[in-house]
Amino acid sequence: MTILVVAEYENGAVAPATLNTVAAAAKIGGDVHVLVAGQNVGGVAESAAKIAGVAKVLVADNAAYAHVLPENVAPLIVELAKGYSHVLAPATTNGKNILPRVAALLDVDQISEIISVESADTFKRPIYAGNAIATVQSSAAIKVITVRTTGFDAVAGEGGSAAIETVGAAHNAGISAFVGEELAKSDRPELTAAKIVVSGGRGMGNGDNFKHLYSLADKLGAAVGASRAAVDAGFVPNDMQVGQTGKIVAPQLYIAVGISGAIQHLAGMKDSKVIVAINKDEEAPIFQVADYGLVADLFEAVPELEKLV
Amino acid sequence: MKVLVAVKRVVDYNVKVRVKADNSGVDLANVKMSMNPFCEIAVEEAVRLKEKGVATEIVVVSVGPATAQEQLRTALALGADRAILVEAADELNSLAVAKALKAVVDKEQPQLVILGKQAIDSDNNQTGQMLAALTGFAQGTFASKVEVTGDKLNVTREIDGGLQTVALNLPAIVTTDLRLNEPRYASLPNIMKAKKKPLETITPDALGVSLASTNKTLKVEAPAARSAGIKVKSVAELVEKLKNEAKVI
C-alpha cells in the first residue's frame, strides 16, 4: 500500500493540518507520499520533505495550480492517484473543495472527515453534527478520504529526509480563475491548532466587547472563536466561527463566553479536553457539557478572569 | 438563464437525534423532517436571481423517497417554477445523488446549478463538487456571494483564512454557505399556488443511473457521552480549579 497525502500549506511551508493528515496515513500503514501542488512551492516541498515518516514528496509547481483551483488540481491528483491505494487530504476548505471532485472523476465514493482508522478500508466519522459516529467500509480500489485534523495527533514536522520529485503535466481546464482574496489578519494562534480557545457568542452584545476576549486570549496565548450568532450579528468575521458549519476545534481548554450551546456549536468543540462555560443563564445547554460552569455576568467575570490568570 | 436547484429532505436541525439500539442507524421514525437548511439558502438565491431578472426559470430537484415531495412543494411555494423528484431509496451516497443530478442536468441544460454545501444529516460536503466533476463544470463552493456578469459568474467563497473570489465560466455549479442569504418564509397563498405547480416523478432507471456505492456503513453508534461537570461559585474558584485540578493553564 502506498498513500498519497495532498498537502495543505500557508506562508511558504506545510500547514499543521498536513501533519495530522500524515498521522492518519501512518495509521493506515504503508509508504506515505506527500503531494505539493501550487505555484512557487519549492519551499513548501522542502518543509514537506522534513515531515517524519514521509517517504517521498511530489511537487507539481505550475501557474495552473496557483490558489489550488479544483478544476485544475483535481485532474492532476486523478492522474497521480492511479499508483496509490489511498488519497488523503485534511478536511480544510481546500481539501473539502478538491477531494470530492477527485473521487467522482475516479468513480468512487469519498469518506469525509474521518476521526479514526479501524483498518485499511474501515474508518469512523461523525454524522448528524457529531451526534452519531458511523463506521464506514470502502470497497473502492482507490480510497479517497478527508481527515478531521483534530482526530489525529500531528506527526513531527522535523527529522524526516524524503526525496523530492517533480511530477505531473500542467492541467489547465481554463474554466475558472482566481480573482482575489481577503484574509483576516491575526497575531494569535491559528484557531484549529490552538491549545486554548476563548469563544464569544450573542451574549457579547456587540463587536467592540470582543476586546475583552482578545485581551484574555492574549494573556492565555489563546485563539479567539465565535458562535454563529456572533458572526451573523456582525461582531466578528466568519472565519472565527466554531461549529458544524464553521471550524472544528479540540483544544486543551475551551472557554465559552455568552454562548448558549446549540447542537450546531457543540459539533465544533465538544471534543475539547476541558470546557468552561461562563453564562448568566443557568439553564443554558452549554452547562450540560461544561466541566466547569460559572453562572455570572460575563462583563464582570471576563475582566476578573484576565486579572487572575 | 435556467437555474437548477437541488434540495434534500433531512431531519429537522433542531431535533436531537437518537441512535437505534441495534446500531443500524439513527432513529428517524416519527421525527420532524424539513428541507436541509443549506438547500433553503440555495432556493432563496435562485429566487433572488429570478427577481433580479437574471434567472428565467427555476427547476428544483430532489433525489430521495416519495415523501421528499413535501420539500419540493416547499421550494415551489418559495418561488421555484417546477419540480422533479428522482424517486429512490433513502440514504443514498453522494456519488449516486451526483450521478442522478448529472442525468437531470443533461436533460434540463441549466446554466447554473445551486446546491447546499452539505446536508446536516450525512455531513458529507461532497455532492456539489462531484456533480461539477461529472458535468465538467467549474465549481464555486461555500459561496457567500454570487454575481452573474455576462457569461461569467463571480463567486465569493468562505475559506479557512477569510474570503476568496473566483470567476467561473458558465454553466457552473455553486454550493451555498450559511451567509449567502436569509431565506424567506412561504406565505399561505404561495403554499396554495405551489400545489398547482408541476411536479414530475422519475426513476433512476429511467435516467439510466446506477445508485451502487463503494461505501458501506457497518454500524452507527452514539458518541462517547460527555457529562456535566461542576458549577463554580466565583472566578477565583474557577482559576484555582483550572490551575490545580484540570492543569490546563
Side-chain angles (χ1 to χ4, degrees):
Chain A
M1 275 189 309
T2 319
I3 301 163
L4 183 65
V5 170
V6 181
E8 176 87 13
Y9 55 89
E10 60 195 6
N11 306 324
V14 287
T18 303
L19 304 179
N20 304 97
T21 310
V22 169
K27 289 226 162 111
I28 296 170
D31 276 357
V32 179
H33 296 181
V34 172
L35 169 67
V36 178
Q39 188 177 19
N40 300 327
V41 286
V44 180
E46 277 168 33
S47 71
K50 292 190 192 121
I51 301 174
V54 171
K56 200 198 277 185
V57 174
L58 310 178
V59 196
D61 199 330
N62 194 288
Y65 304 135
H67 307 288
V68 290
L69 295 174
E71 296 81 2
N72 301 346
V73 174
L76 167 76
I77 299 174
V78 168
E79 176 197 317
L80 298 171
K82 306 271 154 68
Y84 292 91
S85 59
H86 297 71
V87 177
L88 266 58
T92 54
T93 47
N94 278 330
K96 291 179 191 172
N97 194 25
I98 297 166
L99 234 55
R101 195 167 176 119
V102 170
L105 291 172
L106 291 170
D107 196 24
V108 300
D109 261 295
Q110 182 192 295
I111 303 182
S112 294
E113 305 225 15
I114 61 162
I115 52 168
S116 85
V117 173
E118 302 297 296
S119 71
D121 66 359
T122 307
F123 308 89
K124 285 193 176 183
R125 61 175 302 260
I127 53 175
Y128 291 90
N131 288 302
I133 308 294
T135 305
V136 183
Q137 187 174 45
S138 169
S139 59
I142 304 169
K143 293 164 184 60
V144 179
I145 295 164
T146 61
V147 175
R148 179 169 286 190
T149 53
T150 57
F152 299 87
D153 292 330
V155 296
E158 296 290 332
S161 56
I164 299 176
E165 189 180 302
T166 303
V167 293
H171 294 270
N172 192 343
I175 52 175
S176 59
F178 172 81
V179 176
E181 63 188 2
E182 215 178 295
L183 300 180
K185 288 258 172 286
S186 172
D187 298 330
R188 291 184 196 91
E190 211 261 312
L191 189 53
T192 53
K195 288 206 161 54
I196 303 178
V197 174
V198 180
S199 275
R202 201 196 306 270
M204 297 306 295
N206 59 48
D208 200 35
N209 286 335
F210 260 76
K211 63 174 191 265
H212 298 299
L213 299 190
Y214 294 137
S215 58
L216 172 62
D218 287 342
K219 197 140 177 211
L220 291 167
V224 178
S227 69
R228 184 173 174 219
V231 172
D232 280 354
F235 298 173
V236 290
N238 61 44
D239 55 300
M240 284 168 63
Q241 186 185 321
V242 171
Q244 184 183 21
T245 60
K247 290 183 179 160
I248 312 289
V249 301
Q252 293 289 305
L253 173 61
Y254 188 90
I255 305 179
V257 182
I259 292 176
S260 65
I263 295 174
Q264 292 78 9
H265 186 74
L266 299 183
M269 46 65 82
K270 70 178 175 186
D271 293 327
S272 305
K273 186 162 171 269
V274 174
I275 298 174
V276 169
I278 301 176
N279 205 305
K280 63 181 175 194
D281 175 11
E282 211 173 327
E283 305 296 319
I286 190 80
F287 286 120
Q288 292 163 19
V289 298
D291 299 285
Y292 302 106
L294 176 63
V295 180
D297 183 347
L298 69 95
F299 294 106
E300 286 165 21
V302 172
E304 197 185 336
L305 182 57
E306 188 191 334
K307 227 176 287 166
L308 292 175
V309 293
Chain B
M1 67 164 78
K2 189 195 270 191
V3 179
L4 186 74
V5 181
V7 303
K8 184 178 184 185
R9 174 186 171 88
V10 298
V11 63
D12 188 83
Y13 72 97
N14 276 315
V15 171
K16 177 112 174 76
V17 296
R18 250 196 301 252
V19 171
K20 284 186 198 163
D22 65 356
N23 293 117
S24 63
V26 162
D27 193 355
L28 295 179
N30 307 315
V31 167
K32 187 184 176 202
M33 304 295 279
S34 302
M35 192 192 299
N36 180 42
F38 291 98
C39 303
E40 283 184 13
I41 293 166
V43 172
E44 175 67 28
E45 196 62 20
V47 174
R48 289 187 190 190
L49 286 173
K50 196 176 176 193
E51 286 168 348
K52 277 192 232 162
V54 176
T56 49
E57 189 188 20
I58 303 169
V59 182
V60 59
V61 54
S62 191
V63 184
T67 45
Q69 286 191 22
E70 290 169 28
Q71 280 62 47
L72 289 171
R73 289 286 172 207
T74 304
L76 292 170
L78 291 168
D81 296 297
R82 60 190 173 85
I84 300 170
L85 174 64
V86 181
E87 199 174 330
D90 220 344
E91 305 202 18
L92 295 169
N93 279 305
S94 304
L95 187 60
V97 174
K99 284 178 178 175
L101 292 176
K102 158 76 162 67
V104 175
V105 167
D106 287 346
K107 211 168 123 204
E108 295 286 339
Q109 300 284 321
Q111 283 292 293
L112 176 62
V113 186
I114 314 181
L115 305 88
K117 79 164 178 181
Q118 75 188 61
I120 60 163
D121 52 358
S122 58
D123 282 335
N124 272 331
N125 198 330
Q126 298 172 0
T127 309
Q129 294 88 315
M130 287 179 159
L131 178 61
L134 299 176
T135 53
F137 296 169
Q139 68 189 51
T141 52
F142 328 142
S144 59
K145 197 172 159 204
V146 174
E147 265 178 329
V148 179
T149 49
D151 62 345
K152 300 254 185 206
L153 189 72
N154 270 358
V155 179
T156 301
R157 307 177 52 236
E158 299 203 357
I159 59 169
D160 284 330
L163 298 171
Q164 178 194 65
T165 304
V166 289
L168 311 177
N169 289 7
L170 291 170
I173 310 283
V174 165
T175 74
T176 63
D177 217 315
L178 282 168
R179 260 159 300 276
L180 183 59
N181 60 48
E182 203 161 306
R184 68 193 68 188
Y185 291 98
S187 67
L188 188 58
N190 283 344
I191 292 170
M192 299 311 288
K193 267 187 240 164
K195 292 186 177 168
K196 297 204 179 76
K197 291 186 180 177
L199 193 160
E200 180 193 354
T201 300
I202 39 179
T203 63
D205 283 348
L207 290 169
V209 176
S210 151
L211 302 178
S213 173
T214 55
N215 281 356
K216 196 168 96 184
T217 299
L218 301 180
K219 75 180 165 192
V220 175
E221 299 158 288
R226 186 165 191 131
S227 50
I230 55 162
K231 288 229 171 94
V232 294
K233 292 209 167 43
S234 67
V235 175
E237 188 187 348
L238 175 64
V239 173
E240 192 273 323
K241 296 264 191 215
L242 289 179
K243 277 188 176 148
N244 302 323
E245 197 174 283
K247 297 189 170 55
V248 282
I249 55 173

